[in-house]
PDB file of all heavy atoms in Angstrom:
ATOM      1  N   LYS B 173      92.745 116.246  63.146  1.00 97.00           N
ATOM      2  CA  LYS B 173      92.978 114.808  63.315  1.00 97.00           C
ATOM      3  C   LYS B 173      91.694 114.009  63.509  1.00 97.00           C
ATOM      4  O   LYS B 173      91.638 112.820  63.207  1.00 97.00           O
ATOM      5  CB  LYS B 173      93.896 114.560  64.517  1.00 97.00           C
ATOM      6  CG  LYS B 173      95.315 115.087  64.362  1.00 97.00           C
ATOM      7  CD  LYS B 173      96.165 114.119  63.538  1.00 97.00           C
ATOM      8  CE  LYS B 173      97.554 114.657  63.275  1.00 97.00           C
ATOM      9  NZ  LYS B 173      98.458 114.571  64.416  1.00 97.00           N
ATOM     10  N   LEU B 174      90.646 114.632  64.079  1.00 96.00           N
ATOM     11  CA  LEU B 174      89.447 113.867  64.447  1.00 96.00           C
ATOM     12  C   LEU B 174      88.198 114.364  63.725  1.00 96.00           C
ATOM     13  O   LEU B 174      87.094 113.917  64.022  1.00 96.00           O
ATOM     14  CB  LEU B 174      89.221 113.935  65.967  1.00 96.00           C
ATOM     15  CG  LEU B 174      90.422 113.542  66.849  1.00 96.00           C
ATOM     16  CD1 LEU B 174      90.114 113.823  68.310  1.00 96.00           C
ATOM     17  CD2 LEU B 174      90.776 112.077  66.658  1.00 96.00           C
ATOM     18  N   ALA B 175      88.388 115.322  62.804  1.00 96.00           N
ATOM     19  CA  ALA B 175      87.261 115.868  62.043  1.00 96.00           C
ATOM     20  C   ALA B 175      86.193 116.456  62.945  1.00 96.00           C
ATOM     21  O   ALA B 175      84.991 116.342  62.679  1.00 96.00           O
ATOM     22  CB  ALA B 175      86.665 114.809  61.106  1.00 96.00           C
ATOM     23  N   MET B 176      86.607 117.104  64.000  1.00 97.00           N
ATOM     24  CA  MET B 176      85.640 117.764  64.883  1.00 97.00           C
ATOM     25  C   MET B 176      85.075 118.987  64.164  1.00 97.00           C
ATOM     26  O   MET B 176      85.823 119.726  63.529  1.00 97.00           O
ATOM     27  CB  MET B 176      86.322 118.202  66.187  1.00 97.00           C
ATOM     28  CG  MET B 176      85.375 118.876  67.174  1.00 97.00           C
ATOM     29  SD  MET B 176      86.237 119.466  68.676  1.00 97.00           S
ATOM     30  CE  MET B 176      87.072 120.923  68.030  1.00 97.00           C
ATOM     31  N   PRO B 177      83.752 119.219  64.261  1.00 97.00           N
ATOM     32  CA  PRO B 177      83.190 120.441  63.677  1.00 97.00           C
ATOM     33  C   PRO B 177      83.755 121.679  64.389  1.00 97.00           C
ATOM     34  O   PRO B 177      84.099 121.611  65.563  1.00 97.00           O
ATOM     35  CB  PRO B 177      81.684 120.322  63.952  1.00 97.00           C
ATOM     36  CG  PRO B 177      81.441 118.928  64.391  1.00 97.00           C
ATOM     37  CD  PRO B 177      82.730 118.383  64.901  1.00 97.00           C
ATOM     38  N   HIS B 178      83.834 122.790  63.673  1.00 97.00           N
ATOM     39  CA  HIS B 178      84.423 123.998  64.248  1.00 97.00           C
ATOM     40  C   HIS B 178      83.647 124.476  65.485  1.00 97.00           C
ATOM     41  O   HIS B 178      82.425 124.508  65.484  1.00 97.00           O
ATOM     42  CB  HIS B 178      84.432 125.124  63.206  1.00 97.00           C
ATOM     43  CG  HIS B 178      85.099 126.373  63.710  1.00 97.00           C
ATOM     44  ND1 HIS B 178      84.449 127.267  64.520  1.00 97.00           N
ATOM     45  CD2 HIS B 178      86.364 126.843  63.549  1.00 97.00           C
ATOM     46  CE1 HIS B 178      85.285 128.253  64.835  1.00 97.00           C
ATOM     47  NE2 HIS B 178      86.456 128.016  64.255  1.00 97.00           N
ATOM     48  N   THR B 179      84.380 124.834  66.520  1.00 97.00           N
ATOM     49  CA  THR B 179      83.780 125.427  67.713  1.00 97.00           C
ATOM     50  C   THR B 179      84.867 126.163  68.471  1.00 97.00           C
ATOM     51  O   THR B 179      86.049 125.833  68.353  1.00 97.00           O
ATOM     52  CB  THR B 179      83.153 124.365  68.637  1.00 97.00           C
ATOM     53  OG1 THR B 179      82.711 125.016  69.827  1.00 97.00           O
ATOM     54  CG2 THR B 179      84.161 123.284  69.022  1.00 97.00           C
ATOM     55  N   ASN B 180      84.466 127.182  69.228  1.00 96.00           N
ATOM     56  CA  ASN B 180      85.437 127.852  70.087  1.00 96.00           C
ATOM     57  C   ASN B 180      85.143 127.565  71.549  1.00 96.00           C
ATOM     58  O   ASN B 180      85.698 128.195  72.446  1.00 96.00           O
ATOM     59  CB  ASN B 180      85.421 129.364  69.846  1.00 96.00           C
ATOM     60  CG  ASN B 180      86.056 129.698  68.515  1.00 96.00           C
ATOM     61  OD1 ASN B 180      87.067 129.109  68.145  1.00 96.00           O
ATOM     62  ND2 ASN B 180      85.441 130.605  67.782  1.00 96.00           N
ATOM     63  N   ASP B 181      84.225 126.620  71.786  1.00 96.00           N
ATOM     64  CA  ASP B 181      83.739 126.372  73.128  1.00 96.00           C
ATOM     65  C   ASP B 181      84.402 125.115  73.711  1.00 96.00           C
ATOM     66  O   ASP B 181      84.309 124.024  73.134  1.00 96.00           O
ATOM     67  CB  ASP B 181      82.215 126.198  73.075  1.00 96.00           C
ATOM     68  CG  ASP B 181      81.643 125.989  74.442  1.00 96.00           C
ATOM     69  OD1 ASP B 181      81.681 126.949  75.233  1.00 96.00           O
ATOM     70  OD2 ASP B 181      81.195 124.857  74.752  1.00 96.00           O
ATOM     71  N   ALA B 182      85.078 125.296  74.853  1.00 96.00           N
ATOM     72  CA  ALA B 182      85.776 124.160  75.475  1.00 96.00           C
ATOM     73  C   ALA B 182      84.789 123.052  75.857  1.00 96.00           C
ATOM     74  O   ALA B 182      85.127 121.867  75.815  1.00 96.00           O
ATOM     75  CB  ALA B 182      86.553 124.632  76.699  1.00 96.00           C
ATOM     76  N   GLY B 183      83.550 123.447  76.199  1.00 96.00           N
ATOM     77  CA  GLY B 183      82.525 122.464  76.534  1.00 96.00           C
ATOM     78  C   GLY B 183      82.173 121.604  75.325  1.00 96.00           C
ATOM     79  O   GLY B 183      82.065 120.380  75.427  1.00 96.00           O
ATOM     80  N   ASP B 184      82.028 122.240  74.170  1.00 96.00           N
ATOM     81  CA  ASP B 184      81.738 121.489  72.937  1.00 96.00           C
ATOM     82  C   ASP B 184      82.867 120.507  72.634  1.00 96.00           C
ATOM     83  O   ASP B 184      82.626 119.364  72.250  1.00 96.00           O
ATOM     84  CB  ASP B 184      81.583 122.445  71.747  1.00 96.00           C
ATOM     85  CG  ASP B 184      80.270 123.213  71.808  1.00 96.00           C
ATOM     86  OD1 ASP B 184      79.383 122.799  72.592  1.00 96.00           O
ATOM     87  OD2 ASP B 184      80.142 124.229  71.083  1.00 96.00           O
ATOM     88  N   MET B 185      84.091 120.992  72.792  1.00 97.00           N
ATOM     89  CA  MET B 185      85.250 120.129  72.498  1.00 97.00           C
ATOM     90  C   MET B 185      85.248 118.924  73.436  1.00 97.00           C
ATOM     91  O   MET B 185      85.485 117.791  73.011  1.00 97.00           O
ATOM     92  CB  MET B 185      86.563 120.912  72.679  1.00 97.00           C
ATOM     93  CG  MET B 185      86.709 122.083  71.733  1.00 97.00           C
ATOM     94  SD  MET B 185      88.290 122.956  72.025  1.00 97.00           S
ATOM     95  CE  MET B 185      87.885 124.577  71.363  1.00 97.00           C
ATOM     96  N   THR B 186      84.972 119.192  74.705  1.00 96.00           N
ATOM     97  CA  THR B 186      84.965 118.119  75.701  1.00 96.00           C
ATOM     98  C   THR B 186      83.878 117.098  75.393  1.00 96.00           C
ATOM     99  O   THR B 186      84.107 115.891  75.439  1.00 96.00           O
ATOM    100  CB  THR B 186      84.756 118.713  77.108  1.00 96.00           C
ATOM    101  OG1 THR B 186      85.754 119.702  77.336  1.00 96.00           O
ATOM    102  CG2 THR B 186      84.854 117.640  78.171  1.00 96.00           C
ATOM    103  N   ARG B 187      82.682 117.601  75.056  1.00 95.00           N
ATOM    104  CA  ARG B 187      81.575 116.677  74.746  1.00 95.00           C
ATOM    105  C   ARG B 187      81.865 115.885  73.470  1.00 95.00           C
ATOM    106  O   ARG B 187      81.512 114.719  73.360  1.00 95.00           O
ATOM    107  CB  ARG B 187      80.259 117.466  74.624  1.00 95.00           C
ATOM    108  CG  ARG B 187      79.666 117.811  75.989  1.00 95.00           C
ATOM    109  CD  ARG B 187      78.342 118.545  75.878  1.00 95.00           C
ATOM    110  NE  ARG B 187      78.500 119.921  75.432  1.00 95.00           N
ATOM    111  CZ  ARG B 187      78.810 120.941  76.250  1.00 95.00           C
ATOM    112  NH1 ARG B 187      78.972 120.732  77.539  1.00 95.00           N
ATOM    113  NH2 ARG B 187      78.938 122.167  75.780  1.00 95.00           N
ATOM    114  N   PHE B 188      82.541 116.524  72.530  1.00 96.00           N
ATOM    115  CA  PHE B 188      82.929 115.798  71.309  1.00 96.00           C
ATOM    116  C   PHE B 188      83.835 114.608  71.668  1.00 96.00           C
ATOM    117  O   PHE B 188      83.641 113.494  71.175  1.00 96.00           O
ATOM    118  CB  PHE B 188      83.646 116.749  70.340  1.00 96.00           C
ATOM    119  CG  PHE B 188      84.214 116.050  69.136  1.00 96.00           C
ATOM    120  CD1 PHE B 188      83.396 115.697  68.065  1.00 96.00           C
ATOM    121  CD2 PHE B 188      85.562 115.712  69.079  1.00 96.00           C
ATOM    122  CE1 PHE B 188      83.915 115.026  66.969  1.00 96.00           C
ATOM    123  CE2 PHE B 188      86.093 115.040  67.992  1.00 96.00           C
ATOM    124  CZ  PHE B 188      85.260 114.701  66.922  1.00 96.00           C
ATOM    125  N   ILE B 189      84.790 114.847  72.549  1.00 96.00           N
ATOM    126  CA  ILE B 189      85.713 113.773  72.927  1.00 96.00           C
ATOM    127  C   ILE B 189      84.986 112.706  73.744  1.00 96.00           C
ATOM    128  O   ILE B 189      85.234 111.508  73.584  1.00 96.00           O
ATOM    129  CB  ILE B 189      86.925 114.343  73.711  1.00 96.00           C
ATOM    130  CG1 ILE B 189      87.752 115.256  72.811  1.00 96.00           C
ATOM    131  CG2 ILE B 189      87.792 113.216  74.273  1.00 96.00           C
ATOM    132  CD1 ILE B 189      88.281 114.592  71.547  1.00 96.00           C
ATOM    133  N   ARG B 190      84.066 113.135  74.604  1.00 96.00           N
ATOM    134  CA  ARG B 190      83.271 112.156  75.354  1.00 96.00           C
ATOM    135  C   ARG B 190      82.600 111.181  74.385  1.00 96.00           C
ATOM    136  O   ARG B 190      82.693 109.969  74.529  1.00 96.00           O
ATOM    137  CB  ARG B 190      82.209 112.866  76.208  1.00 96.00           C
ATOM    138  CG  ARG B 190      81.291 111.886  76.958  1.00 96.00           C
ATOM    139  CD  ARG B 190      80.150 112.622  77.705  1.00 96.00           C
ATOM    140  NE  ARG B 190      79.120 111.685  78.125  1.00 96.00           N
ATOM    141  CZ  ARG B 190      78.940 111.278  79.372  1.00 96.00           C
ATOM    142  NH1 ARG B 190      79.705 111.721  80.335  1.00 96.00           N
ATOM    143  NH2 ARG B 190      77.985 110.416  79.660  1.00 96.00           N
TER     144      ARG B 190
END
Side-chain angles (χ1 to χ4, degrees):
Chain B
K173 294 279 176 76
L174 307 173
M176 181 183 75
H178 183 279
T179 174
N180 287 319
D181 182 68
D184 287 345
M185 297 180 203
T186 305
R187 281 182 287 277
F188 173 79
I189 295 302
R190 177 185 166 106

